[in-house]
Amino acid sequence: MLVGRDAEQQLLDALLAGARLGQSGVLVITGEAGIGKTALLDQARAGAEDIRVLSVTGTETERDLPFAGLAQLLRITEADLIRLPPPQAEALGVALALWPGDTADRFAVGAGLLTLLTQRSEESPLCLLIDDAHQLDPPSQDALLFVARRLLADAIAMIVAFRQGEPCRLAGAGLPQLSLTGIGPDATGVLVRAELGHQGTHQLVDQVVALSVGNPLAIRELITDPAALTESPADFPRPVSVSLSRVYARRAAELDPDALAAARCAAVAGQELAVVTRACADLGVDVAALERAEVAGLLTVSADQVQFRHPLVRSALYATATPSIRRRLHAAAARAVGEGSADRRAWHLSEAVLGPDEPTAAAMERVAQRAADRAAYAVAASGAERAATLSPAPGERARRLLQAGTWAWLGGSTADARRTLERAAELTRSPTIRARTQHVLGVIAARSGSVAEARDILLRAAGTATDPTDALTSLAEAVDVCFLLGDAATAVIVAREIERLLPAADDAGRARGSIAAGCARILSGEDGSDQIQAGLERLRTAVGDREPTLAGWEVIGRLFLRDSRSARDQLAAAVSDRRGRSAVGELPHLLFHLARDAAASDRWDRAEAGYGEAVALARELGQSTELTAAVAGLAWLEARRGRVASAKAYAGEALELSARHQVHVMEIWARLAQADLAYGLGDVAEALDHYQGVEARLEELGLRDVDLSPVPEIVECQLRLGRAAQALAPAAEFVRRAEIKGQPWARARAARITALLSADAELDSSFGIALALHDATVDGFERARTQLAYGVRLRRARRRIDARAVLRPALETFVRLGAQPWADTTADELAATGALVARPDQSPTIRLTPRELQIAMLLTEGRTTREAASALFLSPKTVEYHLRNIYTKLDIGSRAELADQLNQG
């Protein structure tokens, strides 16, 4: 009987109604033990008679079994797997131990689950009921959270319940949440009288209301002995879960010894009656004694299952046993599950031994490795930490803690990872273990903590390492961190150490080290181009595809050279590969670089879509460094497009994030966005203040990479404000630094300011040099700016016809990019030459969100709806939902028209 929950039932009814209409809905229900969470889920089940229901209840005994919850929820078959995209099918099959395989990506498992559920929802609406979610194994929680965040337009209702105060990954994830409190006094009275009839007096109801605080389970337990209620004051305060635990503990204590032993055996051995029977036999206990525990209301026994009345019953039975009894129970359970359940057997053995035990530690390490191979990193970390605890030798304990910490990091448990790795570092005397431990700690700090802390940790790791390749790996990572930190001085010192170690390293170490050292020297204003080129050549000829982890360094090296044309195809292939393998965790970093390349060329719509996806994924994955970078990239792009509100919002967020995480390079980007916005809107004085502030900040940080310098913009501002004399010195210094770097992009910008400062008689030759250098780059915006500057000078020199010839292509570029303020300025200049100019319209795609842009681009590249959905880790129905919005915003009705619109943009 469910009373006092009318509003909650209406929420559930709305979710189910939405599923019937093809709309997704998610609800997370939380509350204390016995508050009625399970009753609400049962009510939803009863109301879903025309909907396919999939359900799972988390149990303590299976919390450390990877994907046990998912297996119970799905009841998956071979036929289900073969309908999935191959990478997702393999990941899900390996994770659920249905297919052989060495490893599975945890995000690919989530993507496979999403695809499987949306496929089933196309056949019939689905209702997913997840009870005691806090007791599910963490990998299953992660997969369900992945799905919950992406449900939008599918016939799926997901209802999750977990106990308040217990850690659960589906809590605090931005999902709709319902916090259950006790039912009211009137509803309590209805429940009491329904159970007791005429015995439910007003006095008794008042006592129950005071003691139960409206907790339905507490109400039912309290009225099993109405006479006892008069023994306690009406206002006696007791936490309900503790109160109930005591009730169950008291009932357990009243059992005869055999019934108590059998019940405790079931509490440890699990729900399978066959296993419980074998464990009881091992202990010399008659399993039939469970009947007396059943009579006492603690559990129920079916043909093949033992079900406890409430999780608190199991807790009470286990908590009241002495440590020696618990060890005997676990030992019996280990023998009962047998060799066929190696993981469960190992977990029981780990609880059965007293003190360190190497055979059990080794067995737990194998359990952890198997869990890691299935992408169940949280379980792997727990298993490896248990193995470390059981290890007699300090060296083995430290090595296993390093494993545990690494897996905890891969599983998204940053705090646990740090704690475990710090313990490993304290225990070990091995320089190798210490160096590798510090390296992982440095990577963690770089991605989700303090960049300055990351730099220091990585340098310590390199100093500790005895193997040159290990040292180079940490030093190269330190250079990347120094770039983010804006610490050019330390980067140069690291570069010298890298150069010292290069001869002793293997090919992969030399390639990585050369690229990193070259990048460090460029940051400080030196010429590191040759070192980067040497590293890239070694990657191509000596390393090849043997070291996939080096792909990121190839991308970084080429972007430092602004040689994006040769890196673009590789970047796009890397993103496509990660999408195909559902390797979501690697995508924010790659998407950022791909978006940066698109923004620095002539594909701003692609840049906006890439940055947008990187932001969304980085937020979801907690990758704070990648989030900062992508938000700063969006700020820069929105500023140049003249979108005032969004540019200011993104710049503000990027500044806040960069200050919090010390990602100072992204602070520079955000401040450049503020300057570009002001300049594009015609506020030259404000823009100059911003640009000079950026230059001062670069000087303060010691960042001498000429590509970061806004001196060309400073010179333009000073000329527009009539301060030509003040522009001469910074212009000359910029030209000098650009020649040192020697790359076409920097030299083209230097040539532009030289041309701006030249006499009218030298316009054609000086601007001609700049435009020729632009020909060697892919940056359409910078070329158009040079053309605009050239056209303005020609018009002022009364060469109006010549001015039109360079202003028109500049206008075409600005319009194509969606750089509206620049297009307006160029149109005004053209009009001033006497040309008839139609006022440029905004790109039609400006009305699309980054998600809609991403979908539009994938579809116009020839992907089907299902292929686009798979690439973006969405359902086909969600893609169709966004496509309808795209068509409405652009006032079109076909993909051919969509392609035309994108080409115009």
Side-chain angles (χ1 to χ4, degrees):
M1 181 180 181
L2 190 63
V3 297
R5 297 294 188 198
D6 293 343
E8 291 85 351
Q9 287 184 70
Q10 289 174 9
L11 274 177
L12 299 182
D13 291 343
L15 283 176
L16 296 175
R20 293 185 182 97
L21 296 173
Q23 299 170 355
S24 303
V26 177
L27 182 64
V28 177
I29 304 172
T30 182
E32 64 185 4
I35 201 66
K37 303 182 294 295
T38 300
L40 278 176
L41 265 61
D42 289 341
Q43 186 72 16
R45 188 192 308 274
E49 67 280 349
D50 57 338
I51 296 177
R52 184 178 181 184
V53 176
L54 303 178
S55 62
V56 60
T57 299
T59 61
E60 189 174 1
T61 55
E62 294 190 338
R63 180 175 170 80
D64 292 316
L65 298 178
F67 297 105
L70 220 55
Q72 182 184 342
L73 176 75
L74 297 177
R75 311 293 181 185
I76 198 169
T77 66
E78 181 83 9
D80 289 315
L81 287 177
I82 62 176
R83 294 174 58 195
L84 303 179
Q88 296 178 10
E90 182 177 359
L92 200 53
V94 170
L96 298 177
L98 297 172
W99 283 0
D102 295 331
T103 187
D105 183 279
R106 68 187 178 111
F107 297 112
V109 174
L113 175 62
L114 176 65
T115 302
L116 176 66
L117 292 173
T118 55
Q119 284 178 352
R120 289 185 177 181
S121 73
E122 291 173 0
E123 302 163 358
S124 170
L126 286 183
C127 177
L128 310 181
L129 301 177
I130 298 99
D131 200 3
D132 285 339
H134 59 284
Q135 294 281 35
L136 286 180
D137 59 281
S140 291
Q141 292 186 42
D142 284 337
L144 289 167
L145 177 58
F146 186 95
V147 170
R149 281 173 162 157
R150 286 163 174 79
L151 290 177
L152 177 64
D154 296 276
I156 300 175
M158 178 187 289
I159 307 172
V160 180
F162 73 94
R163 191 182 303 168
Q164 181 179 307
E166 297 284 350
C168 180
R169 300 192 180 209
L170 289 134
L175 302 175
Q177 186 164 312
L178 170 64
S179 182
L180 283 187
T181 56
I183 61 176
D186 291 342
T188 300
V190 171
L191 190 57
V192 170
R193 293 184 182 97
E195 295 285 337
L196 295 181
H198 68 277
Q199 297 182 49
T201 63
H202 290 297
Q203 181 183 4
L204 180 65
V205 169
D206 289 344
Q207 288 282 73
V208 171
V209 167
L211 288 172
S212 69
V213 200
N215 183 293
L217 182 60
I219 293 167
R220 288 190 169 92
E221 294 299 334
L222 288 168
I223 61 178
T224 57
D225 187 7
L229 293 179
T230 58
E231 299 173 5
S232 299
D235 60 349
F236 187 71
R238 289 183 291 182
V240 171
S241 58
V242 173
S243 173
L244 293 179
S245 296
R246 288 173 180 166
V247 168
Y248 292 128
R250 188 166 61 249
R251 288 192 197 173
E254 293 171 356
L255 293 174
D256 62 84
D258 280 353
L260 179 59
R264 280 178 172 159
C265 194
V268 170
Q271 293 177 303
E272 294 181 43
L273 183 57
V275 175
V276 174
T277 300
R278 289 195 294 271
C280 284
D282 186 277
L283 293 169
V285 175
D286 185 0
V287 73
L290 285 174
E291 293 179 1
R292 297 193 288 281
E294 190 171 19
V295 171
L298 296 175
L299 50 83
T300 58
V301 182
S302 64
D304 60 349
Q305 296 275 304
V306 179
Q307 295 281 352
F308 287 92
R309 174 168 180 161
H310 192 276
L312 290 175
V313 176
R314 294 185 71 176
S315 300
L317 286 165
Y318 191 78
T320 55
T322 64
S324 62
I325 289 175
R326 290 181 201 166
R327 285 192 291 272
R328 287 200 299 274
L329 289 168
H330 280 292
R335 290 187 287 271
V337 297
E339 297 293 339
S341 301
D343 288 6
R344 187 175 297 180
R345 181 173 183 272
W347 280 106
H348 280 304
L349 286 174
S350 71
E351 295 286 357
V353 296
L354 182 61
D357 184 88
E358 179 55 33
T360 305
M364 283 305 303
E365 184 176 1
R366 291 191 292 272
V367 168
Q369 185 62 62
R370 284 193 292 270
D373 290 343
R374 296 162 66 187
Y377 294 117
V379 173
S382 178
E385 189 167 5
R386 182 73 60 87
T389 302
L390 295 170
S391 301
E396 283 295 277
R397 191 177 309 137
R399 182 184 64 79
R400 286 163 176 159
L401 285 172
L402 169 58
Q403 282 185 321
T406 303
W407 285 329
W409 160 240
L410 292 174
S413 300
T414 304
D416 288 342
R418 281 182 168 150
R419 172 185 56 78
T420 307
L421 290 165
E422 286 166 358
R423 284 177 56 204
E426 291 170 1
L427 278 173
T428 188
R429 294 183 179 179
S430 163
T432 299
I433 296 294
R434 184 179 292 275
R436 291 177 181 174
T437 298
Q438 290 174 331
H439 178 84
V440 180
L441 282 168
V443 170
I444 292 172
R447 297 291 179 269
S448 59
S450 163
V451 182
E453 179 189 8
R455 173 200 58 197
D456 298 342
I457 295 173
L458 288 164
L459 292 178
R460 286 199 299 272
T464 304
T466 55
D467 179 79
T469 299
D470 280 352
L472 278 174
T473 299
S474 291
L475 289 171
E477 195 75 38
V479 167
D480 192 37
V481 166
C482 284
F483 166 71
L484 295 169
L485 189 60
D487 184 2
T490 302
V492 171
I493 295 171
V494 174
R496 296 193 192 108
E497 181 63 12
I498 288 174
E499 290 158 0
R500 185 184 71 81
L501 292 172
L502 281 177
D506 59 17
D507 285 330
R510 289 185 186 185
R512 180 191 289 110
S514 294
I515 294 171
C519 292
R521 293 198 175 277
I522 285 176
L523 280 178
S524 66
E526 301 176 23
D527 182 11
S529 304
D530 289 344
Q531 282 179 296
I532 294 177
Q533 293 286 12
L536 293 172
E537 179 63 19
R538 185 173 292 277
L539 270 183
R540 186 179 67 82
T541 58
V543 180
D545 297 330
R546 289 186 292 109
E547 290 283 346
T549 57
L550 292 178
W553 279 103
E554 180 164 5
V555 170
I556 290 170
R558 294 194 184 283
L559 288 175
F560 257 81
L561 297 177
R562 287 196 174 261
D563 182 19
S564 58
R565 280 177 294 193
S566 55
R568 179 179 295 168
D569 290 344
Q570 181 201 10
L571 266 173
V575 169
S576 182
D577 172 70
R578 271 44 167 206
R579 290 195 194 282
R581 294 192 288 108
S582 299
V584 182
E586 299 176 54
L587 276 175
H589 179 73
L590 291 171
L591 284 166
F592 164 76
H593 283 299
L594 191 61
R596 179 58 182 156
D597 166 63
S601 60
D602 57 355
R603 306 185 302 171
W604 283 11
D605 281 348
R606 292 180 181 275
E608 183 179 357
Y611 281 140
E613 188 179 0
V615 166
L617 289 174
R619 286 194 204 280
E620 179 177 348
L621 302 174
Q623 295 184 6
S624 57
T625 302
E626 305 302 338
L627 174 62
T628 307
V631 169
L634 271 176
W636 178 94
L637 189 63
E638 296 291 84
R640 293 192 169 190
R641 283 186 148 172
R643 299 174 182 172
V644 178
S646 57
K648 288 182 176 179
Y650 284 129
E653 183 180 5
L655 288 171
E656 190 274 327
L657 286 169
S658 61
R660 189 194 317 165
H661 300 293
Q662 300 174 287
V663 191
H664 297 314
V665 162
M666 298 312 156
E667 172 201 342
I668 298 298
W669 280 28
R671 295 175 70 171
L672 282 172
Q674 293 174 326
D676 285 349
L677 181 64
Y679 191 50
L681 295 177
D683 194 337
V684 180
E686 180 185 345
L688 179 60
D689 286 343
H690 282 305
Y691 285 130
Q692 289 178 328
V694 169
E695 187 68 7
R697 182 65 170 136
L698 288 170
E699 190 66 30
E700 179 185 337
L701 292 169
L703 284 173
R704 302 290 293 166
D705 183 1
V706 69
D707 288 351
L708 291 171
S709 172
V711 164
E713 288 74 23
I714 290 173
V715 169
E716 288 185 44
C717 289
Q718 288 173 328
L719 290 175
R720 288 183 63 179
L721 293 170
R723 305 173 187 173
Q726 297 179 34
L728 296 176
E733 174 62 13
F734 185 89
V735 170
R736 184 188 71 81
R737 290 166 57 194
E739 289 302 320
I740 290 175
K741 184 162 187 178
Q743 297 301 306
W745 192 82
R747 292 177 63 212
R749 281 165 54 82
R752 181 169 75 223
I753 58 176
T754 298
L756 282 169
L757 293 166
S758 65
D760 286 352
E762 300 169 349
L763 285 180
D764 294 333
S765 59
S766 57
F767 275 106
I769 292 170
L771 291 172
L773 287 165
H774 280 303
D775 287 341
T777 75
V778 293
D779 195 330
F781 180 77
E782 285 293 330
R783 180 183 180 84
R785 285 190 64 169
T786 297
Q787 289 170 325
L788 172 59
Y790 187 14
V792 170
R793 286 295 309 274
L794 288 171
R795 182 182 66 78
R796 292 177 180 173
R798 302 182 183 278
R799 296 171 56 186
R800 294 184 177 184
I801 303 301
D802 294 335
R804 294 172 193 169
V806 290
L807 288 172
R808 289 192 187 279
L811 178 60
E812 291 172 3
T813 298
F814 289 138
V815 170
R816 186 176 67 253
L817 292 174
Q820 195 65 33
W822 297 88
D824 290 340
T825 298
T826 308
D828 289 342
E829 287 294 334
L830 260 174
T833 68
L836 293 176
V837 183
R839 184 57 50 182
D841 294 327
Q842 288 187 333
S843 167
T845 58
I846 201 168
R847 297 186 289 276
L848 302 183
T849 66
R851 170 67 80 199
E852 290 165 350
L853 272 172
Q854 193 76 60
I855 288 171
M857 288 171 183
L858 289 174
L859 292 176
T860 55
E861 287 171 1
R863 299 200 193 214
T864 65
T865 300
R866 288 191 178 277
E867 288 169 343
S870 179
L872 296 175
F873 314 107
L874 301 172
S875 75
K877 293 261 180 89
T878 297
V879 169
E880 291 170 358
Y881 169 86
H882 285 299
L883 185 59
R884 288 193 295 271
N885 287 342
I886 292 168
Y887 283 175
T888 300
K889 288 181 178 181
L890 301 183
D891 193 24
I892 58 176
S894 71
R895 294 193 187 186
E897 290 178 285
L898 177 59
D900 290 340
Q901 293 274 24
L902 289 181
N903 290 335
Q904 291 175 31

